Amino acid sequence: LRLYLLSLYFAIVLSIIMLSTLDLTLFSIFLLFFFFFFLMIRRPPRSTLSSSSAASDVYKRQVYNLYSVALGQLVAAVSPNDKIGNEIAPGLTVLFVLVCGFLIHPSEIPNYWKWLYWISPVHYALEALVANDLHGRACGATTPLDPTGDSLLSSFDLDFSHRYRNLGIIFGYFVFLRVMTYLAIKHIQHIKR
């Protein structure tokens, strides 16, 4: 009976994870595709030069949203209660934002914290989105000495050619977090008998 209840519990948890991923993905695709993507195809926003760049921007934001939800679910699965989870999730987010290369320039991050720069998913999302928005733009430049979008990218050590690599890395984080959430739910039990 105990084995049956345990297997039933894991089946329910696994189905919740799968359905929440499916639900989030379908709703986000519907919302972004129909309300955001079609508006950008007709009239791309000022931050993008073409409709293909606008579409790319939508997909990068969507993958980052999937990552964010997966991180929140992993923290919820690992935390013994909601109060601890509510402390861990913002702490991780602030840490990743702090070392993503925007608030602190990558060259100014101490060597012993450089590894955080390279594992920060916010770094990859920032590089993908900002490179997509600034590449090839004049940014109000009227003279050759004024900064352009590409010069701003290089000043932050961001590279336009990495935009799809970064999208894949963020998606890899999403898959990794989903697997870790499943393992956490399966192996971590906070309720003691």
Side-chain angles (χ1 to χ4, degrees), residues 121-133:
V122 180
H123 156 71
Y124 298 106
L126 179 78
E127 184 172 21
L129 291 171
V130 172
N132 195 54
D133 285 347

Side-chain angles (χ1 to χ4, degrees), residues 10-188:
F10 288 125
I12 290 170
V13 168
L14 183 62
S15 66
I16 288 171
I17 289 173
M18 291 171 53
L19 288 176
S20 68
T21 302
L22 179 67
D23 182 43
L24 173 72
T25 304
L26 291 178
F27 177 74
S28 298
I29 288 172
F30 174 76
L31 184 70
L32 289 173
F33 188 74
F34 287 110
F35 293 111
F36 192 56
F37 181 70
F38 279 129
L39 292 174
M40 290 172 69
I41 287 292
R42 249 189 225 148
R43 185 181 60 83
R46 291 182 344 188
S47 65
T48 56
L49 296 175
S50 67
S51 57
S52 65
S53 179
S56 175
D57 197 43
V58 170
Y59 300 134
K60 289 177 182 110
R61 291 176 198 272
Q62 173 60 26
V63 170
Y64 187 72
N65 287 342
L66 288 173
Y67 153 77
S68 299
V69 169
L71 177 65
Q73 289 179 344
L74 175 63
V75 168
V78 170
S79 302
N81 58 39
D82 60 337
K83 290 180 183 178
I84 293 176
N86 285 337
E87 299 296 327
I88 293 173
L92 281 174
T93 303
V94 166
L95 181 66
F96 286 149
V97 168
L98 189 63
V99 297
C100 74
F102 182 71
L103 296 174
I104 302 173
H105 194 275
S107 65
E108 296 176 6
I109 298 173
N111 287 336
Y112 50 88
W113 289 115
K114 279 279 193 200
W115 63 274
L116 272 174
Y117 171 75
W118 291 111
I119 68 163
S120 172
V122 180
H123 156 71
Y124 298 106
L126 179 78
E127 184 172 21
L129 291 171
V130 172
N132 195 54
D133 285 347
L134 292 181
H135 176 68
R137 293 194 44 108
C139 295
T142 55
T143 68
L145 298 175
D146 290 339
T148 63
D150 292 320
S151 66
L152 288 172
L153 287 175
S154 64
S155 71
F156 281 100
D157 295 336
L158 303 176
D159 191 355
F160 179 71
S161 65
H162 292 165
R163 64 193 187 283
Y164 292 112
R165 177 205 71 172
N166 294 338
L167 183 66
I169 289 172
I170 297 169
F171 188 75
Y173 270 107
F174 166 72
V175 171
F176 173 74
L177 292 173
R178 281 299 184 192
V179 169
M180 294 306 293
T181 302
Y182 170 75
L183 292 174
I185 290 172
K186 185 173 180 182
H187 296 293
I188 298 175

